[in-house]
Amino acid sequence: ALTADDKKVIKCFWPLLSGCSEELGAEAMGRMFITEKRTKTYFPSFDLTPKSTHLKAHGKKVIDALTEAVNHLDNIQGALNKLSDLHAYDLRVDPGNFPLLAQNILVVTAIHFHDKFDICTHIALDKFLDRVACVLTSKYR
Ligand code: HEM
């Protein structure tokens, strides 16, 4: 579970990400599509070339949803409840894909903010993204 220190670190670090949600979100999605080609099948009508308008718009939505979760670290389940329903019942995204996106969000964060990405930040963000993935896949059970 997220400790009080983890929460402090996340809240302190997150404005860096939310401040460039479009760019970082697009890059994380783009890297997921390249590193795990099968994830592309969920987006048949998207232009998935790097930095496309679709990728930027969608990347921003993803990071903004995570910002919602950061704003409700004590109730991530509640904050992402509608998104859990959407991914489980409507989109039917395979649960195995969530850690893939989480991994790529961590990678682009580390690249963009390498001077601030210390081990505490790494651990806290990893736990946070893992928690989000758990919430978004909770409806499958
Ligand atoms: C849509 C967030 C993971 C596939 C969305 C939307 C958000 C979102 C905010 C837009 C919902 C709306 O328009 O109301 C997230 C978050 C994730 C995540 C926070 C994990 C950190 C994934 C993964 C996949 C996926 C792993 C598949 C590989 C989709 C698809 C849509 C969608 C297909 C609909 C896109 C469209 O047609 O506009 N997601 N998502 N998501 N997501 Fe996710």
Side-chain angles (χ1 to χ4, degrees):
L2 292 171
T3 64
D5 278 345
D6 290 333
K7 290 177 190 174
K8 221 183 284 175
V9 169
I10 294 165
K11 280 183 190 293
C12 183
F13 193 86
W14 198 260
L16 291 174
L17 268 130
S18 54
C20 38
S21 57
E22 204 177 85
E23 185 192 351
L24 294 184
E27 198 177 322
M29 297 293 297
R31 280 175 183 262
M32 176 180 74
F33 294 137
I34 291 167
T35 54
E36 298 284 345
K37 280 205 181 70
R38 67 193 150 89
T39 55
K40 294 205 271 191
T41 57
Y42 292 100
F43 299 87
S45 62
F46 272 46
D47 170 8
L48 298 182
T49 51
K51 300 186 180 180
S52 74
T53 313
H54 279 147
L55 267 191
K56 284 195 209 158
H58 190 73
K60 181 174 171 10
K61 282 187 199 172
V62 171
I63 303 295
D64 287 351
L66 293 175
T67 301
E68 255 323 277
V70 170
N71 290 337
H72 299 89
L73 285 178
D74 294 319
N75 184 17
I76 294 179
Q77 180 83 54
L80 299 183
N81 196 40
K82 276 193 188 148
L83 270 188
S84 300
D85 286 346
L86 180 77
H87 286 81
Y89 303 135
D90 300 337
L91 300 169
R92 298 174 184 278
V93 174
D94 185 303
N97 289 309
F98 291 88
L100 303 176
L101 182 56
Q103 161 81 358
N104 282 290
I105 291 171
L106 203 62
V107 166
V108 301
T109 304
I111 291 171
H112 282 261
F113 308 111
H114 59 93
D115 49 333
K116 299 194 176 68
F117 196 80
D118 57 19
I119 189 71
C120 294
T121 307
H122 184 159
I123 292 169
L125 285 182
D126 195 28
K127 282 162 89 172
F128 167 67
L129 292 168
D130 187 51
R131 179 79 195 107
V132 167
C134 279
V135 165
L136 290 182
T137 55
S138 61
K139 301 289 169 88
Y140 292 82
R141 281 171 217 135

